[in-house]
Each structure stands twice: as structure tokens, then as C-alpha cells.
Amino acid sequence: MLNFMRNKLISVARKDPETLFIHGVLDDDIYGLEIDLQVRLADLTFLSIDGRWNRHTTPECPRSLEFLQAAVGFRIEDGIDQKIHKIIGRKSCRHFANLLIECCRAAGEAARIAAWKDAAAERPGLTFSD
């Protein structure tokens, strides 16, 4: 019987009042890769992106890193998944595209929490649902 396991881990930290830092890891039995992404909180625009291969299958895989820079300037908005699949998935690597999409989802949620915390600092007692 074949066994296969894939793990994805995304962590988000507020680097400064205007910037989120997102670190993503995809690790399975074949591939191991990481992404570091910085996103501006005001408009959820990618400020920088860096990728690393920890484990890959072909000599072509490391060449995909240069194509990640095409994502700098993307905004997390409706249609971002398709845009990432088209630009990063096709030119770079579908594994990086998949991980980047997960990073976007985490960044969107973190931005909502950051906005709530900023508003709660000005209006004590403000709940997240408010």
C-alpha cells in the first residue's frame, strides 16, 4: 500500500504597523519548499516574495525561483487564486502557486484581525463581530 503525506504550514506576523510577514512551508514525501512574503496591510499588496527549495526532483525546479518575482505587486482580492495559478503555476511551479494561495488566505484573515485590533485600541470593548 502506498502512503503519501503533505503538510502545509503558514505563519503570519505583523512586521510593523503597515506590513505583514508571512512564512509558508510545503513539505511532502517528494518536495520541500518555503515562501517568505511581505504584504502591505493598507491594500494587501505583495511587497516582496522569496522562495527556497529544501527538496526537489529535477534540476528544473530551482529555476522556478526567479519567476516568483512576477508576483510582486499582486493584490489579495477576488480572482487572486486564478491569477496565481496562471502566472506562478504555469511559469514557475504549481507547488509554489499552491503554497502562495494558502499564504494569501492566511494574510487576508490576519489583516481582518489586525484591523479589529487597531479599531479596538481606539474603541475599548469593540468585539470582532462588531
Side-chain angles (χ1 to χ4, degrees), residues 5 7 18 22 32 37 46 52 55 59 62-63 66 78 84 94 105 113 120 122 125 127-128:
M5 183 182 296
N7 294 302
E18 291 86 31
I22 300 101
L37 176 67
F46 294 4
R52 286 179 297 290
R55 194 171 51 259
R63 289 192 223 177
E66 66 188 68
D78 288 339
I84 289 172
R94 64 185 176 95
R105 290 183 182 140
I113 292 168
E122 296 174 10
T127 64
F128 187 70

Side-chain angles (χ1 to χ4, degrees), residues 42-80:
D43 58 2
L44 296 177
T45 299
F46 294 4
L47 299 175
S48 70
I49 183 168
D50 294 306
R52 286 179 297 290
W53 281 102
N54 298 324
R55 194 171 51 259
H56 52 82
T57 57
T58 71
E60 299 295 317
C61 291
R63 289 192 223 177
S64 65
L65 296 175
E66 66 188 68
F67 296 105
L68 289 175
Q69 296 311 306
V72 173
F74 282 12
R75 287 186 61 202
I76 300 172
E77 57 191 359
D78 288 339
I80 188 67

Side-chain angles (χ1 to χ4, degrees), residues 4 28-32 55-57:
F4 180 79
D28 61 28
D29 296 338
I30 302 168
Y31 298 102
R55 194 171 51 259
H56 52 82
T57 57

Side-chain angles (χ1 to χ4, degrees), residues 15-31:
K15 181 178 175 185
D16 56 48
E18 291 86 31
T19 312
L20 291 176
F21 176 79
I22 300 101
H23 179 76
V25 177
L26 184 149
D27 189 66
D28 61 28
D29 296 338
I30 302 168
Y31 298 102

Side-chain angles (χ1 to χ4, degrees), residues 8-12 22-25 99-100 102-107:
K8 283 188 270 185
L9 177 67
I10 310 297
S11 61
V12 181
I22 300 101
H23 179 76
V25 177
L99 185 58
L100 187 54
E102 293 296 331
C103 288
C104 288
R105 290 183 182 140

